Amino acid sequence: MPVTIQVHRGGFQVPGFRVAAARSGMRYKDRLDCALMVSDVPASAAGIFTRNRFCAAPVMVCREHLAASAGTARAVLVNAGIANACTGDEGLERARRSARAVARRLGVDPARVLVASTGVIGPQIREELLEAVLPDLAEHLAPEGWEDAARAIMTTDTVPKTAWAKGILGGKEVTVGGIAKGSGMIAPDMATMLAFVATDAAVSPDVLQALLKEVSDRTFNRITVDGDTSTNDTVLVLASGAAGNPSIQDPHGPDAHDFLNLLEAVCADLARQIVRDGEGATKFVTVRVRGARTRDRAARVARTVANSPLVKTALFGQDANWGRVVAAAGRAGVDFAPDRVSLRFGDVTVFENGRPLSGPELEEKASAVLRPKEVEIALDLGEGEEEDTYYTCDFSYDYVKINADYRS
Amino acid sequence: MPVTIQVHRGGFQVPGFRVAAARSGMRYKDRLDCALMVSDVPASAAGIFTRNRFCAAPVMVCREHLAASAGTARAVLVNAGIANACTGDEGLERARRSARAVARRLGVDPARVLVASTGVIGPQIREELLEAVLPDLAEHLAPEGWEDAARAIMTTDTVPKTAWAKGILGGKEVTVGGIAKGSGMIAPDMATMLAFVATDAAVSPDVLQALLKEVSDRTFNRITVDGDTSTNDTVLVLASGAAGNPSIQDPHGPDAHDFLNLLEAVCADLARQIVRDGEGATKFVTVRVRGARTRDRAARVARTVANSPLVKTALFGQDANWGRVVAAAGRAGVDFAPDRVSLRFGDVTVFENGRPLSGPELEEKASAVLRPKEVEIALDLGEGEEEDTYYTCDFSYDYVKINADYRS
């Protein structure tokens, strides 16, 4: 991501979009628990969804609607508290019914309404409660509604997550702004990752989908908290075209490139906020694997290290335990040559050519590097030029506490 | 494993073998820390080793020697405290040197001496300390030395692990007896899985290797504590032939079948003892996946559930959290049909045809099932007749505590 893109947090507006949040009372009482995002015109729409076999009803509805509307959308309805997952045909029908209710209220095609849910798995949503607050939501739609929406979609998150950036496309200023809620570290039944991004750039649906896929693979698909995935994970991007730039039709053109950088900057920031808010987490950890023959090999090693419970507990203990890192790398299913591998904690090299470096000062220096809240582990496989990066957090007492006590 | 095989723990003898343990003082002081196992005659020998890319020097030496001796061995030397892993050419030379010293002492071919190490990764072993206790080891070799040896190979284990069983092969009584030390739950740098099994059965080297592979895949390769693997994992089986049964040459004959059952009974018991002794573990968990189209599909789902941190913390909390189990199953990379899946905690079905069963009593019953120290989770994929089972334990506060504090 080019350093020239400045990403901001807090309130933002995206021309062409209005947003509102409300209290349906479906599960949470006395707090915002649902949000409606509306585009003034049919926007290009793209989505990335969970690959879990147990995929929630709203995910199925999004897939159906994006296909039926040829990648366009007018509105997204989100609720927090009940996930509508493992709910069978009835859950699917309830999700469809809530989309139809939004369509009726806004006077738009139901296929142009997308839905997302997060919360406990198993119970049916009560879409009649969503329908009951629709008039309220529609009445309060406003360009500055994103922060409320970010708050409304929280479950176990401790802070709302927003990010936005501006850039120039085809001579016009464009905005990319998004909200997200956290994943993992708690439970898949409460910790779906949801992200909703809006832009006023004009982008064709196909290009938007292609660019979102590319960006997700480098951002949302590169964060991991415990390797567990949710039934409801959803990332949606809507592009209204209100900026008036010449519509981006070529995924390989210069405008597509610039837009991709903007989108990536915003998504990367949201993804990092999700990891940082992992409950129980005390550290934000970057796992970088360099010198790989292919990017896929780098990714497999980085993912295995980032998910290793032994590495994550060592990081909680601020222990520069190189043995756990290399042992995790060694079981990633990548046939690298051990005697070409080196490892750094921060800027301290602790392992080179398959052998640990020694010295009492070295151990001290390496442990010092692990004291700050943000730490980096860098492995070099010494076999090529490719690299990949994962972001993760540590495993703390609180991780066990929160997850063992969660439903009790 | 047929129920007719009675597996015992505690002391045992295997005709044709003598064993001794000693204190080398290499890392642990004032305790047994090395062991020598000797067969009176060249025994058939088979081995299964870690697949970690960072494979320790003694593992390389075992592979070399088994190849050079055509699958025969006279002795196994084991030390606990230093793993001789990530030690480069020097480590390899030290491992070879210790094998040669045993060969000289016993007057046998060096290729018929196997070595194994467990302990911290990185430092060189001090093979001169092993050489120094060799006279003592050789002098104290005795048929009843197995329990001392089981104690000598412990690192973070809290109890020594032995198992033995007897059976009839070709009209002769045969014994299979083994010792093991624990894996995982602590650190790969201290928690290698080692197992050494001896039998007086007569079995050809090739058949012994084939049967050990089959047995390991159902026992040692079906236990998991945190998914992390060690640089030193080693399982060795030596068969002396002292029982005088007709040598087993056909891996598919009835004697091979009977021997396999005996070997599996002993290895399964040792494997379970390893999981039970996982430090921090409060539960022994059986994850059974039935109704799969292939055994591999069942194994992949079982392994993913058994390694899920969210499932393991829920089990520590005695929470019948079916959502975490099905969400873990759903990311195993197996394309089963979610609406045919059912799930039991013990004998309480909580999920059927892709939907949770409900009722307040049901939840209570399911949680009650998780209170004992031994619990079972059974998933049925509803797509076929194949099944597989993994054994694991829960993630407790102590897991984090022990692993975060381990080197500090």
Side-chain angles (χ1 to χ4, degrees):
Chain A
M1 164 192 15
V3 289
T4 48
I5 297 176
Q6 179 99 38
V7 179
H8 308 271
R9 295 178 186 167
F12 64 91
Q13 300 183 20
V14 183
F17 290 91
R18 289 169 303 135
V19 178
R23 299 159 196 244
S24 78
M26 194 189 296
R27 180 149 181 277
Y28 298 120
K29 309 299 171 194
D30 302 320
R31 56 154 274 196
L32 299 172
D33 69 349
C34 60
L36 182 64
M37 294 161 249
V38 176
S39 170
D40 295 339
V41 297
S44 294
I48 297 281
F49 306 100
T50 184
R51 277 170 286 195
N52 198 297
R53 291 297 294 169
F54 287 94
C55 137
V59 170
M60 295 182 211
V61 170
C62 281
R63 286 208 180 99
E64 276 173 21
H65 285 196
L66 283 173
S69 68
T72 61
R74 285 294 303 273
V76 182
L77 176 69
V78 193
N79 77 284
I82 295 181
N84 196 358
C86 296
T87 48
D89 290 342
E90 187 187 336
L92 198 55
E93 190 40 49
R94 284 174 188 255
R96 286 195 186 115
R97 213 143 54 208
S98 65
R100 283 199 300 268
V102 171
R104 270 196 313 274
R105 167 63 52 177
L106 301 177
V108 303
D109 178 355
R112 285 186 166 148
V113 177
L114 303 175
V115 289
S117 299
T118 176
V120 292
I121 306 182
Q124 297 291 347
I125 58 164
R126 297 173 60 196
E127 76 286 1
E128 70 279 10
L129 295 177
L130 294 174
E131 288 184 42
V133 293
L134 271 184
D136 182 44
L137 282 168
E139 194 184 323
H140 290 94
L141 285 169
E144 63 274 17
W146 291 102
E147 277 189 288
D148 276 353
R151 216 171 283 280
I153 64 175
M154 287 165 64
T155 55
T156 50
D157 305 64
T158 64
V159 291
K161 295 160 189 73
T162 64
W164 59 275
K166 284 183 187 294
I168 304 292
L169 285 186
K172 304 286 186 183
E173 185 184 73
V174 302
T175 302
V176 175
I179 63 175
K181 72 165 291 279
S183 83
M185 281 317 270
I186 290 294
D189 41 346
M190 281 296 284
T192 287
M193 181 192 77
L194 297 182
F196 306 101
V197 179
T199 178
D200 54 352
V203 188
S204 81
D206 288 354
V207 172
L208 192 64
Q209 182 65 44
L211 298 182
L212 175 60
K213 172 80 176 68
E214 201 175 328
V215 162
S216 292
D217 280 346
R218 288 209 286 262
T219 57
F220 298 115
N221 288 333
R222 283 294 177 277
I223 59 176
T224 173
V225 284
D226 44 27
D228 277 300
T229 65
S230 151
T231 50
N232 291 57
D233 295 332
T234 296
V235 179
L236 293 173
V237 180
L238 270 65
S240 71
N245 64 300
S247 175
I248 303 174
Q249 308 281 340
D250 172 8
H252 305 295
D255 282 359
H257 180 78
D258 291 346
F259 176 69
L260 180 130
N261 285 336
L262 264 182
L263 184 63
E264 181 167 342
V266 169
C267 290
D269 195 75
L270 290 172
R272 288 194 200 113
Q273 288 182 57
I274 289 170
V275 174
R276 277 200 187 83
D277 198 21
E279 278 189 41
T282 72
K283 304 229 176 266
F284 178 82
V285 184
T286 301
V287 180
R288 210 177 286 283
V289 175
R290 293 209 176 86
R293 222 155 52 218
T294 66
R295 189 164 173 177
D296 180 60
R297 289 166 70 91
R300 285 163 74 182
V301 171
R303 185 168 53 238
T304 307
V305 171
N307 275 326
S308 160
L310 289 176
V311 170
K312 290 156 83 82
T313 44
L315 289 168
F316 173 58
Q318 309 191 357
D319 173 10
N321 196 321
W322 58 269
R324 296 189 189 178
V325 177
V326 303
R331 67 173 166 88
V334 175
D335 61 347
F336 57 76
D339 58 3
R340 307 188 67 168
V341 171
S342 63
L343 169 67
R344 282 193 293 102
F345 287 103
D347 56 359
V348 181
T349 301
V350 292
F351 190 86
E352 217 166 42
N353 299 323
R355 299 285 308 276
L357 303 179
S358 60
E361 263 184 57
L362 182 77
E363 186 126 337
E364 221 167 89
K365 270 190 214 158
S367 292
V369 157
L370 297 181
R371 260 172 240 140
K373 206 172 147 38
E374 311 233 338
V375 303
E376 180 175 303
I377 298 174
L379 265 166
D380 193 317
L381 301 186
E383 61 173 24
E385 299 297 319
E386 298 298 319
E387 62 174 83
D388 210 336
T389 302
Y390 267 74
Y391 302 97
T392 188
C393 47
D394 58 344
F395 263 9
S396 66
Y397 295 122
D398 281 356
Y399 176 78
V400 175
K401 183 171 166 55
I402 293 163
N403 282 297
D405 294 351
Y406 172 57
R407 303 204 320 179
S408 60
Chain B
M1 166 188 19
V3 289
T4 46
I5 296 176
Q6 179 99 38
V7 179
H8 308 270
R9 296 180 185 164
F12 64 91
Q13 301 183 18
V14 183
F17 291 92
R18 288 169 306 136
V19 179
R23 300 157 194 241
S24 78
M26 194 189 299
R27 182 153 180 275
Y28 298 119
K29 307 301 169 194
D30 303 320
R31 56 155 275 200
L32 299 173
D33 69 351
C34 60
L36 181 65
M37 296 161 248
V38 177
S39 169
D40 294 338
V41 298
S44 294
I48 297 282
F49 305 100
T50 185
R51 277 171 285 195
N52 198 298
R53 292 296 292 169
F54 288 95
C55 136
V59 170
M60 295 181 212
V61 170
C62 281
R63 285 207 180 99
E64 278 172 19
H65 286 196
L66 284 172
S69 68
T72 60
R74 284 292 303 273
V76 182
L77 177 69
V78 193
N79 76 285
I82 296 182
N84 197 357
C86 296
T87 47
D89 290 341
E90 186 187 337
L92 197 56
E93 189 41 48
R94 284 174 189 255
R96 286 194 185 115
R97 215 146 48 207
S98 66
R100 282 198 301 266
V102 171
R104 270 197 312 273
R105 167 65 50 179
L106 301 177
V108 304
D109 179 355
R112 282 186 167 149
V113 178
L114 303 175
V115 289
S117 299
T118 176
V120 293
I121 305 181
Q124 297 291 347
I125 58 164
R126 296 172 62 193
E127 77 285 2
E128 70 278 13
L129 295 178
L130 294 174
E131 288 183 44
V133 292
L134 270 184
D136 181 45
L137 282 168
E139 193 183 325
H140 289 95
L141 285 169
E144 63 274 18
W146 292 101
E147 277 189 289
D148 276 353
R151 214 169 283 278
I153 64 175
M154 289 166 63
T155 55
T156 50
D157 306 62
T158 64
V159 289
K161 297 162 187 71
T162 64
W164 59 275
K166 286 184 184 291
I168 303 292
L169 286 185
K172 304 286 184 182
E173 185 183 73
V174 301
T175 302
V176 175
I179 63 175
K181 73 167 290 281
S183 85
M185 281 316 271
I186 291 293
D189 41 348
M190 280 298 284
T192 288
M193 181 192 78
L194 297 181
F196 307 100
V197 179
T199 178
D200 55 350
V203 188
S204 81
D206 289 353
V207 171
L208 191 64
Q209 183 65 42
L211 298 182
L212 174 60
K213 172 79 176 66
E214 200 176 329
V215 162
S216 292
D217 280 347
R218 288 209 287 263
T219 57
F220 298 115
N221 289 332
R222 283 296 178 273
I223 60 176
T224 174
V225 284
D226 44 29
D228 277 300
T229 64
S230 151
T231 50
N232 291 58
D233 296 332
T234 298
V235 179
L236 294 173
V237 181
L238 270 64
S240 71
N245 63 301
S247 176
I248 303 175
Q249 308 281 341
D250 173 8
H252 307 294
D255 280 359
H257 179 79
D258 290 345
F259 176 69
L260 180 131
N261 285 337
L262 263 182
L263 184 62
E264 182 167 343
V266 169
C267 291
D269 195 75
L270 291 172
R272 289 196 197 112
Q273 288 183 58
I274 289 170
V275 174
R276 277 200 187 85
D277 197 22
E279 278 189 40
T282 73
K283 304 229 176 267
F284 179 83
V285 184
T286 301
V287 179
R288 211 176 284 284
V289 175
R290 293 211 175 85
R293 221 154 55 219
T294 66
R295 187 162 174 181
D296 180 59
R297 289 166 70 91
R300 285 163 73 180
V301 171
R303 185 170 52 237
T304 308
V305 171
N307 274 325
S308 161
L310 289 174
V311 169
K312 290 156 82 81
T313 44
L315 289 168
F316 173 58
Q318 310 192 359
D319 174 11
N321 195 321
W322 58 267
R324 297 188 188 179
V325 177
V326 303
R331 67 174 168 88
V334 175
D335 61 346
F336 58 77
D339 59 3
R340 307 187 67 168
V341 171
S342 64
L343 169 66
R344 282 193 292 102
F345 287 103
D347 56 357
V348 182
T349 300
V350 293
F351 190 86
E352 215 166 43
N353 300 322
R355 300 286 308 276
L357 302 179
S358 59
E361 261 183 60
L362 183 75
E363 187 127 338
E364 220 167 275
K365 268 189 218 159
S367 291
V369 157
L370 297 182
R371 257 170 244 142
K373 205 172 147 42
E374 311 234 339
V375 304
E376 179 174 304
I377 298 174
L379 266 165
D380 193 317
L381 301 186
E383 62 173 24
E385 299 296 319
E386 299 298 321
E387 64 174 84
D388 210 337
T389 301
Y390 267 73
Y391 301 95
T392 188
C393 48
D394 58 346
F395 263 8
S396 65
Y397 295 122
D398 280 354
Y399 176 76
V400 175
K401 185 171 164 54
I402 293 163
N403 283 295
D405 295 350
Y406 172 58
R407 301 206 318 179
S408 61

